[in-house]
């Protein structure tokens, strides 16, 4: 159980993404989103509050408020998970057919279950049941929402029965998913594969057969990191980035790999953190240029690295740079959740594993 919770803490992010047309944008809500993306979170919150004072039935404003609260939660703001749930529940109630709101509510429900796991509360199974029910509602609205299906495979397949796991349901969802989409079907198969499975080879074989699909290269790289084969992980990540430059966020995982080694053993800080710093600095120079929340997060990791290395002056300078960009930048160990960074009018297609740091 402790191992599971530790893994969950580390894994609040990591994802593949595709986006499709969503609902008609609300100009004022879009403006609030843009303010948040430019590091002006307090101004964004004030604007959303004013929108909702004028019209409490604005579902998109409630949805964007939920995401803003989520961002504050991992950025050290005075927010609780219940605050996020209150906002997204209002959005779903006002627009029950909106698949993005339904999907985000399912994610928020899992965060609620996670809090119960972290605190050792007996509500875990009920909260997991609510989460699965919500993902099933997403599929009732959009049967080909593959990310929702994959979450059900992961939750039913990896959690013990006393927490809501159900191996038969996991297999059923995995089988159906495999019939709908080759890549997501492969991810489901990998999730349910025995511990002894060589997941690096699993994804390497698929990458060879799908040379134009960087998703398989990314997966091979992640599997390599989990197997402590860093050089191979870097090779596959570089190939994935070459195939699609938006995969540059994978560079952060190369940095985090070395940071996590220090989290496990601080004696290796002097050898591991300089390597991590090099990758963090490399990411900041990549194109497409990282958005401000990710820039600030990366600078925050650089500041932390310098502090651990005893370079307090450099650490303070980097911290000032990070907070000047966005004082609520994520303080979590995992990469900030990309589902918070799509425009509010857009259907989100981000999946990140709750059970793996990569």
């Amino acid at each position: 159980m402790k191992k599971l919770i530790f893994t969950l803490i580390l894994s609040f992010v990591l994802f593949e993404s595709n986006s499709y047309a969503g609902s008609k944008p609300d100009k004022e809500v879009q403006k609030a989103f843009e303010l948040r993306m430019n590091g002006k979170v307090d101004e964004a919150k004030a604007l959303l509050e004013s929108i909702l004072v004028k019209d409490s039935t604005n579902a998109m404003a409630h949805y964007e408020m939920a995401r803003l609260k989520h961002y504050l939660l991992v950025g050290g703001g005075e927010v609780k998970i219940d605050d996020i749930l209150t906002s997204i529940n209002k959005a779903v109630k006002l627009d029950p057919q909106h698949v993005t709101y339904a999907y985000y509510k399912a994610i928020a429900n899992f965060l609620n279950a996670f809090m119960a796991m972290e605190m050792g509360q007996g509500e875990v199974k009920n909260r997991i049941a609510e989460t699965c029910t919500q993902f099933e509602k997403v599929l009732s609205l959009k049967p080909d929402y593959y990310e929702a299906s994959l979450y059900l495979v992961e939750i039913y397949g990896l959690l013990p029965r006393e927490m809501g796991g159900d191996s038969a349901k996991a297999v059923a969802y995995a089988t159906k998913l495999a019939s709908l989409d080759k890549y997501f079907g492969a991810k489901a198969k990998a999730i349910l594969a025995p511990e002894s499975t060589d997941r690096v080879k699993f994804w390497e074989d698929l990458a060879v057969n799908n040379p134009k699909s960087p998703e398989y290269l990314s997966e091979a790289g992640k599997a390599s990191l989990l197997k402590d084969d860093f050089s191979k992980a870097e090779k596959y990540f570089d190939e994935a980035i070459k195939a699609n430059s938006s995969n540059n966020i994978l560079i952060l995982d190369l940095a985090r790999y070395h940071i996590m080694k220090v989290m496990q053993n601080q004696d290796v800080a002097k050898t591991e953190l300089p390597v991590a710093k090099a990758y963090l600095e490399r990411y900041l120079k990549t194109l497409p240029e990282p958005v401000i929340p990710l820039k600030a997060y990366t600078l925050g990791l650089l500041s932390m690295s310098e502090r651990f290395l005893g370079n307090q002056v450099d650490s303070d300078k980097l911290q000032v740079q990070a907070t000047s960009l966005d004082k609520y930048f994520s303080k979590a160990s995992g990469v900030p959740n990309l589902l918070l960074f799509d425009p509010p009018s857009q259907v989100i297609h981000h999946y990140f594993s709750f059970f793996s740091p990569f």
Side-chain angles (χ1 to χ4, degrees):
M1 181 63 180
K2 288 183 179 178
K3 183 178 180 181
L4 170 62
I5 291 177
F6 176 72
T7 303
L8 284 165
I9 290 171
L10 289 175
S11 65
F12 264 149
V13 270
L14 211 16
F15 5 70
E16 293 67 54
S17 68
N18 292 288
S19 299
Y20 305 91
S23 54
K24 183 178 179 181
D26 180 302
K27 290 183 179 180
E28 286 296 289
V29 177
Q30 176 67 22
K31 182 179 178 181
F33 165 75
E34 290 170 358
L35 284 169
R36 175 166 64 83
M37 292 298 293
N38 281 294
K40 299 177 181 179
V41 182
D42 289 328
E43 291 179 36
K45 186 171 184 288
L47 177 55
L48 288 171
E49 288 172 341
S50 69
I51 293 169
L52 290 168
V53 166
K54 296 174 186 175
D55 181 9
S56 63
T57 66
N58 189 323
M60 187 179 289
H62 284 295
Y63 164 65
E64 183 55 27
M65 180 66 85
R67 295 201 302 168
L68 183 147
K69 290 175 179 177
H70 188 160
Y71 189 70
L72 286 174
L73 182 68
V74 295
E78 295 182 4
V79 176
K80 298 178 181 178
I81 185 64
D82 286 345
D83 298 324
I84 299 172
L85 289 168
T86 296
S87 291
I88 192 56
N89 285 342
K90 287 178 180 177
V92 170
K93 184 176 181 180
L94 288 165
D95 193 350
Q97 301 303 308
H98 199 295
V99 70
T100 295
Y101 304 164
Y103 183 67
Y104 183 79
K105 179 179 177 179
I107 301 293
N109 281 348
F110 185 87
L111 292 179
N112 193 33
F114 166 74
M115 296 300 179
M117 292 179 196
E118 188 179 48
M119 299 176 69
Q121 297 175 346
E123 304 171 21
V124 175
K125 190 169 185 177
N126 289 337
R127 293 185 185 182
I128 287 296
E130 290 175 4
T131 299
C132 291
T133 297
Q134 186 60 33
F135 277 122
E136 288 161 358
K137 287 182 180 178
V138 173
L139 293 173
S140 72
L141 295 171
K142 183 175 172 56
D144 63 348
Y145 212 131
Y146 304 136
E147 295 84 358
S149 294
L150 195 59
Y151 274 121
L152 288 168
V153 173
E154 189 174 55
I155 292 169
Y156 282 133
L158 298 183
L159 285 178
R161 181 167 290 276
E162 62 269 20
M163 294 175 69
D166 188 322
S167 58
K169 286 185 178 180
V171 171
Y173 277 109
T175 301
K176 184 174 182 180
L177 189 54
S179 71
L180 296 172
D181 183 88
K182 185 176 181 180
Y183 169 65
F184 280 97
K187 283 185 71 68
K189 184 176 180 180
I191 287 169
L192 300 182
E195 284 293 322
S196 59
T197 302
D198 186 341
R199 287 174 171 77
V200 176
K201 185 177 186 305
F202 175 86
W203 287 111
E204 283 178 334
D205 290 344
L206 286 166
V208 169
N209 293 321
N210 298 274
K212 295 183 179 180
S213 299
E215 295 85 359
Y216 296 100
L217 294 166
S218 298
E219 296 293 343
K222 294 172 195 174
S224 298
L225 282 183
L226 291 171
K227 202 173 179 180
D228 288 319
D229 191 338
F230 183 82
S231 60
K232 184 175 281 190
E234 183 175 31
K235 168 182 174 289
Y236 284 123
F237 282 177
D238 284 346
E239 290 178 12
I241 294 167
K242 184 177 180 180
N244 184 346
S245 60
S246 67
N247 283 320
N248 60 355
I249 196 168
L250 292 169
I251 297 170
L252 288 179
D253 282 325
L254 296 175
R256 287 178 59 243
Y257 173 83
H258 293 282
I259 291 171
M260 287 170 62
K261 292 183 77 170
V262 177
M263 291 171 65
Q264 295 164 1
N265 178 12
Q266 292 189 14
D267 292 339
V268 302
K270 289 186 178 180
T271 56
E272 295 297 329
L273 289 181
V275 181
K277 283 172 51 185
Y279 286 106
L280 293 170
E281 291 165 354
R282 174 184 163 190
Y283 173 66
L284 290 173
K285 297 174 183 177
T286 59
L287 295 174
E289 184 178 353
V291 295
I292 284 177
L294 288 173
K295 277 187 183 178
Y297 164 77
T298 305
L299 289 167
L301 288 182
L302 281 167
S303 173
M304 180 195 71
S305 298
E306 294 290 9
R307 186 171 68 254
F308 268 91
L309 289 170
N311 305 324
Q312 192 61 49
V313 173
D314 290 337
S315 175
D316 290 344
K317 288 179 180 178
L318 287 161
Q319 185 69 13
V320 169
Q321 289 180 47
T323 54
S324 66
L325 285 174
D326 184 348
K327 67 180 180 180
Y328 295 110
F329 70 86
S330 175
K331 311 304 188 296
S333 59
V335 180
N337 197 319
L338 296 186
L339 64 81
L340 301 180
F341 302 154
D342 280 343
S345 59
Q346 191 167 293
V347 177
I348 54 176
H349 281 271
H350 295 292
Y351 164 85
F352 58 98
S353 176
F354 283 115
F355 299 93
S356 173
F358 302 111

